Amino acid sequence: MTAVPLPVRRLPHGADLPLPAYATEGAAGFDLLAAVAEPHTLAPGKQALIPTGLAFAIPAGYEGQVRPRSGLAAKHGITVLNAPGTIDADYRGEVQVILINHGDLPFTVERGMRIAQFLLAPVTRADLTPVDSLDDTARGAGGFGSTGLASA
């Protein structure tokens, strides 16, 4: 595994929170913490923009991906609304997480709570080439369930 330097700036409202860390040796992402000033309760069906108190200088050729935490999703129905959220390499503002409550009960986000995962991923840019037609495949233009529900 290759470590890529990732400069991080703590913002004043997150200065007392620990820096993100990988929870295990094999973890693909590190956890982002909530830098809320007061507990914030998400009612069922509601979303909120939760600050992390962090800004990153993502290297050129990479993106930051903000993804849900599986435990929050499985136990409480809490997920990241635009998952995965993309943080572009030229963005220098605060990383914030759009959480949504898909559960049946209100959920309270507390200061320092682990709310999402952040992955640093390489980016490949497409070189769009206009053509008059595309090659044929067995699937063709079939989509949105065209392959059915049952396994073969």
Side-chain angles (χ1 to χ4, degrees):
M1 208 175 318
T2 303
V4 176
L6 181 61
V8 57
R9 183 168 71 99
R10 283 184 168 137
L11 302 174
H13 59 282
D16 62 319
L17 296 172
L19 280 178
Y22 293 91
T24 66
E25 185 64 30
F30 54 77
D31 290 323
L32 294 172
L33 307 180
V36 292
E38 304 285 332
H40 183 93
T41 300
L42 280 173
K46 298 298 182 184
Q47 76 262 356
L49 193 59
I50 306 296
T52 66
L54 299 173
F56 297 97
I58 296 170
Y62 289 86
E63 68 165 324
Q65 296 180 359
V66 178
R67 298 183 179 192
R69 295 194 67 239
S70 59
L72 285 179
K75 295 175 185 174
H76 305 285
I78 303 298
T79 191
V80 175
L81 189 57
N82 64 325
T86 295
I87 310 299
D88 294 312
D90 58 351
Y91 177 70
R92 292 298 182 265
E94 179 178 14
V95 171
Q96 298 185 66
V97 179
I98 308 167
L99 290 183
I100 187 166
N101 184 352
H102 286 302
D104 297 325
L105 300 171
F107 180 82
T108 301
V109 177
E110 305 271 351
R111 184 170 183 78
M113 179 181 281
R114 297 183 300 161
I115 57 168
Q117 297 181 77
F118 183 101
L119 278 73
L120 186 65
V123 171
T124 302
R125 294 189 83 177
D127 183 11
L128 300 176
T129 306
V131 296
D132 292 327
S133 64
L134 301 174
D135 59 315
D136 290 326
T137 66
R139 182 177 182 175
F144 298 103
S146 66
T147 60
L149 294 175
S151 62

